[in-house]
Every structure is written in structure tokens, then in C-alpha cells.
């Protein structure tokens, strides 16, 4: 039997709403000169998460309440389960494989696309090597103590990713709950803030003078290299 148009209309409108909301949030928080590549990478990662809450969660609740009537005889539970798995694994691959490479590509100091891509992949390979080593060790221990076959690998990866994400959330929230209010409380006292700035002014000035000397040295090196390069192009080679 054909699937009713209601779920598809809801899905299309939900995807459109998620796209508009994600674009608005990124345009609000992102810098104006953010490259399109990085904007698109963050947009896709946010879109998958918002889609799960705005579209998939209501569909799951409706399928659980109305059963097979939700799709005019087609198994609603299988459809929603497929969509959940698709959204989860696309988000998993995107956030664990694509986004880290894009982040390191932006921070790489190479001058060519190929060089920056190689540097980004090389940097992430170290993280993947550590993560895979830990996963293999823990998985080997769990396999010996509890026992699981190849069919449980997907669940093991999901549990490991969720544990890593929860650990980051706990660390960030714990730090933010303690440090952010304390910083606001310290800055609310002008006299204490003034004493702190007076205390750090000497070290800041010393760092500024060191940076200024380094900059002057770099400028002299650049001009010396520029003069040698111009002399080499004109055919005049002078000894060092």
C-alpha cells in the first residue's frame, strides 16, 4: 500500500526548518570572513543533530503511538529505525572523520592544498592511532570477560563514542560551572581587578618588548633575503 503524504510533508518541512534555523545560528555566531568550506562543514554537523530532535523524535513518538497506521500499513517502526541509524552513522562519520580533518586543515601552516591536507590527515592519524589502541585494549578485555562477537562491534563503537562525548561534556560543564562564575565574581570588584592588572603589567610589557625584538629581527631577515633574491635575478651575486 502506498505511503501517505503526511509523513513526507512533515519530513520535508522539518528538514527545511532545520536548514533555516541552522543557517541563522551559524550566521549569527560565525565571523563574516569565515570560508565557505568551514561554514558548510559546521552547518552539516549541526543540521544532523537538529534534524534528530525536530524531525526524527516526533516521528518516533508518532510511530510508537499510532503504530503501522502512521504510514498506511507500512511498518513505521522499521522506517523510523532506519532513519535513526542513517542520521546517527552519518553524524558519527562526519564528526569523527571529516570535521577533525577540516579543523586541522584550517590550522595547518602549509601553503598548498595538498600540503595542508596531508598535514591535517597526519595530525589526526596520531589521535586515531591512540584511540584505536585504547579501543582494541578495552575491547579485548571486554571480549574475554563478557564475550561478544562481530555483531556487537557497532554497539561497542556507539558506547565508546558516547563515553568520550559524555566525558568531554562533564569536563566542560564542570569547568564552566566553577570557573566562569568565579571569573565574573573577580571582575566585579574594580579594586581587585586593578591590583591584578598592575601585577601583570610588568610581565606583559616584558613579553611585548621581546616580541618587538623578535619582529624586528624577522623583518631584517626578510629584507636581507629580498635583497639577495633581487640580486640573484639581476645576475649580480654578492658574497655573504
Amino acid at each position: 500500500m502506498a505511503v501517505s503524504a503526511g509523513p513526507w510533508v512533515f519530513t520535508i518541512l522539518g528538514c527545511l526548518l532545520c536548514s533555516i534555523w541552522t543557517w541563522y545560528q551559524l550566521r549569527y555566531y560565525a565571523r563574516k570572513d569565515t570560508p565557505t568550506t568551514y561554514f558548510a562543514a559546521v552547518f552539516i554537523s549541526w543540521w544532523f543533530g537538529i534534524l534528530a530532535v525536530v524531525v526524527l523524535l516526533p516521528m518516533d513518538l508518532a510511530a510508537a503511538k499510532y503504530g503501522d497506521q502512521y504510514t498506511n500499513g507500512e511498518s513505521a517502526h522499521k522506517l523510523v529505525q532506519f532513519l535513526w541509524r542513517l542520521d546517527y552513522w552519518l553524524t558519527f562519520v562526519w564528526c569523527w572523520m571529516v570535521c577533525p580533518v577540516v579543523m586541522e586543515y584550517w590550522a595547518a601552516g602549509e601553503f598548498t592544498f595538498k600540503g595542508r591536507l596531508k598535514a591535517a590527515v597526519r595530525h589526526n592519524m596520531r589521535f586515531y592511532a591512540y584511540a584505536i589502541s585504547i579501543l582494541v585494549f578495552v575491547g579485548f578485555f571486554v571480549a574475554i570477560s563478557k564475550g561478544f562477537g562481530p555483531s556487537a562491534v557497532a554497539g561497542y563503537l556507539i558506547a565508546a563514542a558516547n563515553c568520550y562525548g559524555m566525558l568531554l561534556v562533564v569536563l566542560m560543564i564542570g569547568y564552566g560551572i566553577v570557573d566562569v562564575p568565579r571569573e565574573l565574581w573577580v571582575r566585579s570588584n574594580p579594586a581587585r581587578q586593578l591590583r591584578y592588572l598592575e601585577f601583570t603589567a610588568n610581565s606583559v610589557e616584558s613579553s611585548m618588548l621581546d616580541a618587538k625584538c623578535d619582529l624586528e629581527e624577522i623583518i631584517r631577515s626578510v629584507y636581507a633575503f629580498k635583497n639577495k633574491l633581487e640580486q640573484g635575478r639581476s645576475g649580480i651575486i654578492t658574497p655573504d
Side-chain angles (χ1 to χ4, degrees):
M1 184 177 296
V3 180
S4 62
W8 294 109
V9 173
F10 174 77
T11 303
I12 294 174
L13 292 178
C15 292
L16 181 61
L17 178 62
C18 292
S19 301
I20 295 174
W21 177 253
T22 305
W23 182 85
Y24 173 78
Q25 291 295 319
L26 283 178
R27 293 300 300 175
Y28 180 80
Y29 289 106
R31 293 175 51 179
K32 301 300 182 182
D33 57 346
T34 302
T36 306
T37 305
Y38 311 124
F39 189 91
V42 178
F43 178 88
I44 294 174
S45 60
W46 284 20
W47 187 82
F48 281 133
I50 297 175
L51 180 71
V53 178
V54 176
V55 177
L56 295 183
L57 183 59
M59 289 181 63
D60 198 352
L61 295 176
K65 182 176 182 180
Y66 297 105
D68 293 338
Q69 297 178 358
Y70 183 64
T71 52
N72 272 349
E74 187 178 344
S75 178
H77 301 288
K78 291 183 179 180
L79 175 63
V80 174
Q81 186 180 23
F82 169 76
L83 293 176
W84 272 116
R85 288 181 176 178
L86 181 65
D87 183 83
Y88 180 85
W89 287 112
L90 287 177
T91 306
F92 187 92
V93 173
W94 190 264
C95 294
W96 282 90
M97 301 294 180
V98 179
C99 287
V101 174
V102 173
M103 293 170 57
E104 294 300 329
Y105 177 87
W106 179 82
E110 305 292 335
F111 295 99
T112 61
F113 170 80
K114 187 176 181 180
R116 298 181 70 179
L117 184 60
K118 284 185 177 180
V121 173
R122 191 183 307 112
H123 186 275
N124 280 279
M125 287 304 295
R126 290 195 295 267
F127 170 77
Y128 294 144
Y130 297 146
I132 292 174
S133 300
I134 295 174
L135 287 176
V136 170
F137 175 77
V138 177
F140 182 75
F141 176 77
V142 173
I144 293 178
S145 58
K146 302 295 182 180
F148 67 92
S151 60
V153 173
Y156 176 67
L157 290 177
I158 293 174
N162 289 339
C163 289
Y164 180 78
M166 292 177 64
L167 178 63
L168 287 181
V169 170
V170 170
L171 291 177
M172 292 181 181
I173 291 180
Y175 178 79
I177 290 177
V178 175
D179 192 71
V180 173
R182 182 178 62 183
E183 185 69 18
L184 294 176
W185 178 71
V186 170
R187 293 187 178 185
S188 64
N189 190 331
R192 182 182 299 175
Q193 188 69 11
L194 179 60
R195 290 196 300 269
Y196 173 76
L197 294 177
E198 291 174 348
F199 175 77
T200 58
N202 188 23
S203 61
V204 171
E205 183 182 10
S206 178
S207 300
M208 183 193 68
L209 293 176
D210 293 340
K212 185 177 180 181
C213 294
D214 294 338
L215 178 61
E216 292 176 351
E217 184 66 26
I218 293 173
I219 291 175
R220 284 194 294 268
S221 300
V222 169
Y223 273 106
F225 179 77
K226 178 183 177 182
N227 294 332
K228 289 184 178 181
L229 184 62
E230 291 177 350
Q231 293 171 0
R233 288 179 177 178
S234 62
I236 303 175
I237 305 299
T238 58
D240 293 334

